[in-house]
PDB file of all heavy atoms in Angstrom:
ATOM      1  N   THR A 119     -20.357  35.681 -23.817  1.00 94.00           N
ATOM      2  CA  THR A 119     -21.010  36.905 -23.263  1.00 94.00           C
ATOM      3  C   THR A 119     -22.442  36.953 -23.692  1.00 94.00           C
ATOM      4  O   THR A 119     -23.168  37.788 -23.155  1.00 94.00           O
ATOM      5  CB  THR A 119     -20.341  38.221 -23.773  1.00 94.00           C
ATOM      6  OG1 THR A 119     -20.387  38.152 -25.189  1.00 94.00           O
ATOM      7  CG2 THR A 119     -18.836  38.214 -23.340  1.00 94.00           C
ATOM      8  N   GLY A 120     -22.821  36.141 -24.676  1.00 94.00           N
ATOM      9  CA  GLY A 120     -24.166  36.188 -25.164  1.00 94.00           C
ATOM     10  C   GLY A 120     -24.250  36.881 -26.498  1.00 94.00           C
ATOM     11  O   GLY A 120     -25.154  36.830 -27.270  1.00 94.00           O
ATOM     12  N   SER A 121     -23.098  37.569 -26.880  1.00 94.00           N
ATOM     13  CA  SER A 121     -22.986  38.204 -28.174  1.00 94.00           C
ATOM     14  C   SER A 121     -21.867  37.566 -28.895  1.00 94.00           C
ATOM     15  O   SER A 121     -20.655  37.589 -28.492  1.00 94.00           O
ATOM     16  CB  SER A 121     -22.753  39.671 -28.027  1.00 94.00           C
ATOM     17  OG  SER A 121     -22.192  40.236 -29.153  1.00 94.00           O
ATOM     18  N   GLN A 122     -22.093  36.995 -30.099  1.00 93.00           N
ATOM     19  CA  GLN A 122     -21.051  36.339 -30.799  1.00 93.00           C
ATOM     20  C   GLN A 122     -19.974  37.326 -31.315  1.00 93.00           C
ATOM     21  O   GLN A 122     -18.778  37.059 -31.298  1.00 93.00           O
ATOM     22  CB  GLN A 122     -21.628  35.662 -32.085  1.00 93.00           C
ATOM     23  CG  GLN A 122     -22.172  34.221 -31.792  1.00 93.00           C
ATOM     24  CD  GLN A 122     -22.522  33.506 -33.051  1.00 93.00           C
ATOM     25  OE1 GLN A 122     -23.245  34.112 -33.924  1.00 93.00           O
ATOM     26  NE2 GLN A 122     -22.180  32.270 -33.164  1.00 93.00           N
ATOM     27  N   GLU A 123     -20.412  38.540 -31.752  1.00 93.00           N
ATOM     28  CA  GLU A 123     -19.438  39.526 -32.244  1.00 93.00           C
ATOM     29  C   GLU A 123     -18.499  39.904 -31.078  1.00 93.00           C
ATOM     30  O   GLU A 123     -17.339  40.022 -31.302  1.00 93.00           O
ATOM     31  CB  GLU A 123     -20.200  40.811 -32.682  1.00 93.00           C
ATOM     32  CG  GLU A 123     -19.253  41.829 -33.302  1.00 93.00           C
ATOM     33  CD  GLU A 123     -19.954  43.042 -33.877  1.00 93.00           C
ATOM     34  OE1 GLU A 123     -21.139  43.016 -34.170  1.00 93.00           O
ATOM     35  OE2 GLU A 123     -19.228  44.074 -34.004  1.00 93.00           O
ATOM     36  N   PHE A 124     -19.049  40.134 -29.888  1.00 93.00           N
ATOM     37  CA  PHE A 124     -18.291  40.480 -28.712  1.00 93.00           C
ATOM     38  C   PHE A 124     -17.276  39.342 -28.414  1.00 93.00           C
ATOM     39  O   PHE A 124     -16.029  39.683 -28.267  1.00 93.00           O
ATOM     40  CB  PHE A 124     -19.240  40.627 -27.539  1.00 93.00           C
ATOM     41  CG  PHE A 124     -18.682  41.448 -26.331  1.00 93.00           C
ATOM     42  CD1 PHE A 124     -19.548  42.166 -25.593  1.00 93.00           C
ATOM     43  CD2 PHE A 124     -17.344  41.349 -26.060  1.00 93.00           C
ATOM     44  CE1 PHE A 124     -19.008  42.892 -24.450  1.00 93.00           C
ATOM     45  CE2 PHE A 124     -16.822  42.070 -24.969  1.00 93.00           C
ATOM     46  CZ  PHE A 124     -17.706  42.820 -24.131  1.00 93.00           C
ATOM     47  N   ASP A 125     -17.707  38.069 -28.412  1.00 93.00           N
ATOM     48  CA  ASP A 125     -16.840  36.997 -28.146  1.00 93.00           C
ATOM     49  C   ASP A 125     -15.700  36.859 -29.117  1.00 93.00           C
ATOM     50  O   ASP A 125     -14.554  36.772 -28.763  1.00 93.00           O
ATOM     51  CB  ASP A 125     -17.623  35.690 -28.190  1.00 93.00           C
ATOM     52  CG  ASP A 125     -18.622  35.538 -27.035  1.00 93.00           C
ATOM     53  OD1 ASP A 125     -18.558  36.370 -26.072  1.00 93.00           O
ATOM     54  OD2 ASP A 125     -19.453  34.632 -27.105  1.00 93.00           O
ATOM     55  N   SER A 126     -16.080  36.865 -30.431  1.00 92.00           N
ATOM     56  CA  SER A 126     -15.081  36.558 -31.484  1.00 92.00           C
ATOM     57  C   SER A 126     -14.066  37.738 -31.709  1.00 92.00           C
ATOM     58  O   SER A 126     -12.919  37.582 -31.847  1.00 92.00           O
ATOM     59  CB  SER A 126     -15.729  36.146 -32.734  1.00 92.00           C
ATOM     60  OG  SER A 126     -16.583  37.131 -33.210  1.00 92.00           O
ATOM     61  N   LYS A 127     -14.588  38.984 -31.717  1.00 91.00           N
ATOM     62  CA  LYS A 127     -13.790  40.091 -32.140  1.00 91.00           C
ATOM     63  C   LYS A 127     -12.877  40.485 -30.922  1.00 91.00           C
ATOM     64  O   LYS A 127     -11.741  40.973 -31.164  1.00 91.00           O
ATOM     65  CB  LYS A 127     -14.674  41.289 -32.465  1.00 91.00           C
ATOM     66  CG  LYS A 127     -15.021  41.403 -33.984  1.00 91.00           C
ATOM     67  CD  LYS A 127     -15.666  42.754 -34.187  1.00 91.00           C
ATOM     68  CE  LYS A 127     -15.961  42.909 -35.689  1.00 91.00           C
ATOM     69  NZ  LYS A 127     -16.525  44.263 -35.819  1.00 91.00           N
ATOM     70  N   LEU A 128     -13.364  40.479 -29.707  1.00 93.00           N
ATOM     71  CA  LEU A 128     -12.623  40.964 -28.542  1.00 93.00           C
ATOM     72  C   LEU A 128     -12.013  40.037 -27.640  1.00 93.00           C
ATOM     73  O   LEU A 128     -11.027  40.267 -26.931  1.00 93.00           O
ATOM     74  CB  LEU A 128     -13.483  41.924 -27.770  1.00 93.00           C
ATOM     75  CG  LEU A 128     -14.206  43.077 -28.516  1.00 93.00           C
ATOM     76  CD1 LEU A 128     -14.835  44.074 -27.488  1.00 93.00           C
ATOM     77  CD2 LEU A 128     -13.174  43.908 -29.351  1.00 93.00           C
ATOM     78  N   LEU A 129     -12.604  38.842 -27.528  1.00 93.00           N
ATOM     79  CA  LEU A 129     -12.259  37.916 -26.412  1.00 93.00           C
ATOM     80  C   LEU A 129     -11.690  36.617 -26.885  1.00 93.00           C
ATOM     81  O   LEU A 129     -11.358  35.738 -26.039  1.00 93.00           O
ATOM     82  CB  LEU A 129     -13.462  37.683 -25.488  1.00 93.00           C
ATOM     83  CG  LEU A 129     -13.973  38.911 -24.813  1.00 93.00           C
ATOM     84  CD1 LEU A 129     -15.342  38.623 -24.165  1.00 93.00           C
ATOM     85  CD2 LEU A 129     -13.059  39.418 -23.768  1.00 93.00           C
ATOM     86  N   GLY A 130     -11.583  36.359 -28.166  1.00 90.00           N
ATOM     87  CA  GLY A 130     -11.111  35.099 -28.672  1.00 90.00           C
ATOM     88  C   GLY A 130     -11.940  33.902 -28.193  1.00 90.00           C
ATOM     89  O   GLY A 130     -11.413  32.858 -27.935  1.00 90.00           O
ATOM     90  N   GLY A 131     -13.251  34.160 -28.127  1.00 91.00           N
ATOM     91  CA  GLY A 131     -14.202  33.088 -27.786  1.00 91.00           C
ATOM     92  C   GLY A 131     -15.019  33.276 -26.600  1.00 91.00           C
ATOM     93  O   GLY A 131     -15.953  32.562 -26.346  1.00 91.00           O
ATOM     94  N   GLY A 132     -14.627  34.263 -25.740  1.00 93.00           N
ATOM     95  CA  GLY A 132     -15.404  34.541 -24.544  1.00 93.00           C
ATOM     96  C   GLY A 132     -14.489  34.891 -23.362  1.00 93.00           C
ATOM     97  O   GLY A 132     -13.315  35.085 -23.526  1.00 93.00           O
ATOM     98  N   ILE A 133     -15.099  35.038 -22.188  1.00 95.00           N
ATOM     99  CA  ILE A 133     -14.320  35.354 -20.978  1.00 95.00           C
ATOM    100  C   ILE A 133     -13.459  34.153 -20.662  1.00 95.00           C
ATOM    101  O   ILE A 133     -13.922  33.024 -20.518  1.00 95.00           O
ATOM    102  CB  ILE A 133     -15.293  35.639 -19.826  1.00 95.00           C
ATOM    103  CG1 ILE A 133     -16.364  36.769 -20.171  1.00 95.00           C
ATOM    104  CG2 ILE A 133     -14.514  35.964 -18.558  1.00 95.00           C
ATOM    105  CD1 ILE A 133     -15.760  38.087 -20.304  1.00 95.00           C
ATOM    106  N   GLU A 134     -12.153  34.370 -20.473  1.00 94.00           N
ATOM    107  CA  GLU A 134     -11.137  33.295 -20.376  1.00 94.00           C
ATOM    108  C   GLU A 134     -10.911  32.893 -18.898  1.00 94.00           C
ATOM    109  O   GLU A 134     -10.943  33.766 -18.052  1.00 94.00           O
ATOM    110  CB  GLU A 134      -9.857  33.893 -20.983  1.00 94.00           C
ATOM    111  CG  GLU A 134      -8.713  32.848 -21.097  1.00 94.00           C
ATOM    112  CD  GLU A 134      -7.474  33.459 -21.634  1.00 94.00           C
ATOM    113  OE1 GLU A 134      -6.821  34.329 -21.043  1.00 94.00           O
ATOM    114  OE2 GLU A 134      -7.158  33.049 -22.778  1.00 94.00           O
ATOM    115  N   SER A 135     -10.759  31.534 -18.722  1.00 94.00           N
ATOM    116  CA  SER A 135     -10.388  31.057 -17.352  1.00 94.00           C
ATOM    117  C   SER A 135      -8.962  31.373 -17.113  1.00 94.00           C
ATOM    118  O   SER A 135      -8.158  31.615 -17.996  1.00 94.00           O
ATOM    119  CB  SER A 135     -10.775  29.604 -17.230  1.00 94.00           C
ATOM    120  OG  SER A 135      -9.873  28.812 -17.963  1.00 94.00           O
ATOM    121  N   MET A 136      -8.572  31.243 -15.833  1.00 93.00           N
ATOM    122  CA  MET A 136      -7.167  31.425 -15.357  1.00 93.00           C
ATOM    123  C   MET A 136      -6.772  32.899 -15.729  1.00 93.00           C
ATOM    124  O   MET A 136      -5.564  33.137 -15.993  1.00 93.00           O
ATOM    125  CB  MET A 136      -6.170  30.454 -16.042  1.00 93.00           C
ATOM    126  CG  MET A 136      -6.306  29.076 -15.521  1.00 93.00           C
ATOM    127  SD  MET A 136      -4.713  28.220 -15.752  1.00 93.00           S
ATOM    128  CE  MET A 136      -5.298  26.733 -16.609  1.00 93.00           C
ATOM    129  N   ALA A 137      -7.648  33.821 -15.741  1.00 94.00           N
ATOM    130  CA  ALA A 137      -7.369  35.267 -16.081  1.00 94.00           C
ATOM    131  C   ALA A 137      -8.415  36.117 -15.408  1.00 94.00           C
ATOM    132  O   ALA A 137      -9.514  35.713 -15.061  1.00 94.00           O
ATOM    133  CB  ALA A 137      -7.390  35.386 -17.594  1.00 94.00           C
ATOM    134  N   ILE A 138      -7.996  37.382 -15.329  1.00 95.00           N
ATOM    135  CA  ILE A 138      -9.026  38.494 -14.826  1.00 95.00           C
ATOM    136  C   ILE A 138      -9.388  39.289 -16.014  1.00 95.00           C
ATOM    137  O   ILE A 138      -8.541  39.796 -16.714  1.00 95.00           O
ATOM    138  CB  ILE A 138      -8.353  39.359 -13.789  1.00 95.00           C
ATOM    139  CG1 ILE A 138      -7.896  38.525 -12.498  1.00 95.00           C
ATOM    140  CG2 ILE A 138      -9.275  40.500 -13.331  1.00 95.00           C
ATOM    141  CD1 ILE A 138      -7.117  39.332 -11.473  1.00 95.00           C
ATOM    142  N   THR A 139     -10.712  39.345 -16.281  1.00 94.00           N
ATOM    143  CA  THR A 139     -11.219  40.201 -17.378  1.00 94.00           C
ATOM    144  C   THR A 139     -11.928  41.353 -16.703  1.00 94.00           C
ATOM    145  O   THR A 139     -12.801  41.186 -15.836  1.00 94.00           O
ATOM    146  CB  THR A 139     -12.222  39.418 -18.264  1.00 94.00           C
ATOM    147  OG1 THR A 139     -11.547  38.328 -18.819  1.00 94.00           O
ATOM    148  CG2 THR A 139     -12.675  40.256 -19.405  1.00 94.00           C
ATOM    149  N   GLU A 140     -11.574  42.556 -17.041  1.00 93.00           N
ATOM    150  CA  GLU A 140     -12.129  43.762 -16.445  1.00 93.00           C
ATOM    151  C   GLU A 140     -12.909  44.561 -17.483  1.00 93.00           C
ATOM    152  O   GLU A 140     -12.433  44.710 -18.583  1.00 93.00           O
ATOM    153  CB  GLU A 140     -11.009  44.658 -15.876  1.00 93.00           C
ATOM    154  CG  GLU A 140     -11.458  46.005 -15.325  1.00 93.00           C
ATOM    155  CD  GLU A 140     -10.367  47.002 -15.292  1.00 93.00           C
ATOM    156  OE1 GLU A 140      -9.233  46.747 -15.405  1.00 93.00           O
ATOM    157  OE2 GLU A 140     -10.734  48.259 -15.061  1.00 93.00           O
ATOM    158  N   ALA A 141     -14.184  44.993 -17.159  1.00 93.00           N
ATOM    159  CA  ALA A 141     -14.935  45.814 -18.017  1.00 93.00           C
ATOM    160  C   ALA A 141     -15.217  47.170 -17.354  1.00 93.00           C
ATOM    161  O   ALA A 141     -15.716  47.081 -16.184  1.00 93.00           O
ATOM    162  CB  ALA A 141     -16.241  45.111 -18.374  1.00 93.00           C
ATOM    163  N   PHE A 142     -14.757  48.248 -17.929  1.00 92.00           N
ATOM    164  CA  PHE A 142     -15.072  49.471 -17.173  1.00 92.00           C
ATOM    165  C   PHE A 142     -15.772  50.395 -18.200  1.00 92.00           C
ATOM    166  O   PHE A 142     -15.796  50.308 -19.444  1.00 92.00           O
ATOM    167  CB  PHE A 142     -13.710  50.171 -16.771  1.00 92.00           C
ATOM    168  CG  PHE A 142     -12.808  50.574 -17.869  1.00 92.00           C
ATOM    169  CD1 PHE A 142     -12.902  51.721 -18.538  1.00 92.00           C
ATOM    170  CD2 PHE A 142     -11.739  49.696 -18.261  1.00 92.00           C
ATOM    171  CE1 PHE A 142     -12.050  52.060 -19.622  1.00 92.00           C
ATOM    172  CE2 PHE A 142     -10.864  50.057 -19.220  1.00 92.00           C
ATOM    173  CZ  PHE A 142     -11.039  51.198 -19.971  1.00 92.00           C
ATOM    174  N   GLY A 143     -16.577  51.343 -17.629  1.00 90.00           N
ATOM    175  CA  GLY A 143     -17.291  52.263 -18.372  1.00 90.00           C
ATOM    176  C   GLY A 143     -18.190  53.154 -17.482  1.00 90.00           C
ATOM    177  O   GLY A 143     -18.207  52.961 -16.241  1.00 90.00           O
ATOM    178  N   GLU A 144     -18.788  54.235 -18.015  1.00 89.00           N
ATOM    179  CA  GLU A 144     -19.692  55.042 -17.250  1.00 89.00           C
ATOM    180  C   GLU A 144     -20.926  54.186 -16.769  1.00 89.00           C
ATOM    181  O   GLU A 144     -21.091  53.105 -17.228  1.00 89.00           O
ATOM    182  CB  GLU A 144     -20.048  56.301 -18.000  1.00 89.00           C
ATOM    183  CG  GLU A 144     -18.903  57.201 -18.306  1.00 89.00           C
ATOM    184  CD  GLU A 144     -19.319  58.410 -19.037  1.00 89.00           C
ATOM    185  OE1 GLU A 144     -19.994  59.293 -18.474  1.00 89.00           O
ATOM    186  OE2 GLU A 144     -19.009  58.451 -20.272  1.00 89.00           O
ATOM    187  N   PHE A 145     -21.817  54.874 -16.068  1.00 85.00           N
ATOM    188  CA  PHE A 145     -23.052  54.169 -15.720  1.00 85.00           C
ATOM    189  C   PHE A 145     -23.874  54.018 -16.979  1.00 85.00           C
ATOM    190  O   PHE A 145     -23.792  54.682 -17.959  1.00 85.00           O
ATOM    191  CB  PHE A 145     -23.830  55.007 -14.676  1.00 85.00           C
ATOM    192  CG  PHE A 145     -24.151  56.409 -15.129  1.00 85.00           C
ATOM    193  CD1 PHE A 145     -25.350  56.657 -15.808  1.00 85.00           C
ATOM    194  CD2 PHE A 145     -23.235  57.412 -14.963  1.00 85.00           C
ATOM    195  CE1 PHE A 145     -25.650  57.978 -16.187  1.00 85.00           C
ATOM    196  CE2 PHE A 145     -23.556  58.732 -15.399  1.00 85.00           C
ATOM    197  CZ  PHE A 145     -24.732  58.999 -16.025  1.00 85.00           C
ATOM    198  N   ARG A 146     -24.685  52.976 -16.967  1.00 86.00           N
ATOM    199  CA  ARG A 146     -25.527  52.554 -18.124  1.00 86.00           C
ATOM    200  C   ARG A 146     -24.811  52.162 -19.389  1.00 86.00           C
ATOM    201  O   ARG A 146     -25.326  52.280 -20.459  1.00 86.00           O
ATOM    202  CB  ARG A 146     -26.548  53.702 -18.458  1.00 86.00           C
ATOM    203  CG  ARG A 146     -27.639  53.858 -17.425  1.00 86.00           C
ATOM    204  CD  ARG A 146     -28.825  54.714 -17.936  1.00 86.00           C
ATOM    205  NE  ARG A 146     -29.457  54.073 -19.073  1.00 86.00           N
ATOM    206  CZ  ARG A 146     -29.609  54.650 -20.227  1.00 86.00           C
ATOM    207  NH1 ARG A 146     -29.148  55.877 -20.441  1.00 86.00           N
ATOM    208  NH2 ARG A 146     -30.218  54.023 -21.273  1.00 86.00           N
ATOM    209  N   THR A 147     -23.622  51.612 -19.228  1.00 90.00           N
ATOM    210  CA  THR A 147     -22.867  51.165 -20.401  1.00 90.00           C
ATOM    211  C   THR A 147     -22.950  49.625 -20.535  1.00 90.00           C
ATOM    212  O   THR A 147     -22.509  49.103 -21.516  1.00 90.00           O
ATOM    213  CB  THR A 147     -21.408  51.606 -20.460  1.00 90.00           C
ATOM    214  OG1 THR A 147     -20.806  51.206 -19.124  1.00 90.00           O
ATOM    215  CG2 THR A 147     -21.181  53.073 -20.657  1.00 90.00           C
ATOM    216  N   GLY A 148     -23.608  49.008 -19.607  1.00 91.00           N
ATOM    217  CA  GLY A 148     -23.862  47.566 -19.731  1.00 91.00           C
ATOM    218  C   GLY A 148     -22.983  46.661 -18.823  1.00 91.00           C
ATOM    219  O   GLY A 148     -23.008  45.430 -18.991  1.00 91.00           O
ATOM    220  N   LYS A 149     -22.248  47.215 -17.852  1.00 93.00           N
ATOM    221  CA  LYS A 149     -21.373  46.439 -17.016  1.00 93.00           C
ATOM    222  C   LYS A 149     -22.160  45.379 -16.178  1.00 93.00           C
ATOM    223  O   LYS A 149     -21.843  44.243 -16.129  1.00 93.00           O
ATOM    224  CB  LYS A 149     -20.587  47.351 -16.061  1.00 93.00           C
ATOM    225  CG  LYS A 149     -19.694  48.401 -16.800  1.00 93.00           C
ATOM    226  CD  LYS A 149     -18.830  49.130 -15.828  1.00 93.00           C
ATOM    227  CE  LYS A 149     -19.539  49.915 -14.733  1.00 93.00           C
ATOM    228  NZ  LYS A 149     -20.297  51.146 -15.255  1.00 93.00           N
ATOM    229  N   THR A 150     -23.125  45.904 -15.483  1.00 94.00           N
ATOM    230  CA  THR A 150     -23.910  45.034 -14.632  1.00 94.00           C
ATOM    231  C   THR A 150     -24.783  44.042 -15.486  1.00 94.00           C
ATOM    232  O   THR A 150     -24.958  42.896 -15.141  1.00 94.00           O
ATOM    233  CB  THR A 150     -24.782  45.840 -13.654  1.00 94.00           C
ATOM    234  OG1 THR A 150     -23.909  46.608 -12.889  1.00 94.00           O
ATOM    235  CG2 THR A 150     -25.637  44.958 -12.771  1.00 94.00           C
TER     236      THR A 150
END
Side-chain angles (χ1 to χ4, degrees):
T119 58
S121 158
Q122 274 189 317
E123 185 180 338
F124 198 148
D125 290 348
S126 57
K127 271 193 177 179
L128 304 189
L129 297 168
I133 304 292
E134 186 180 64
S135 72
M136 287 202 234
I138 298 175
T139 304
E140 175 201 349
F142 63 84
E144 293 180 73
F145 58 93
R146 286 197 63 235
T147 51
K149 303 186 297 291
T150 298

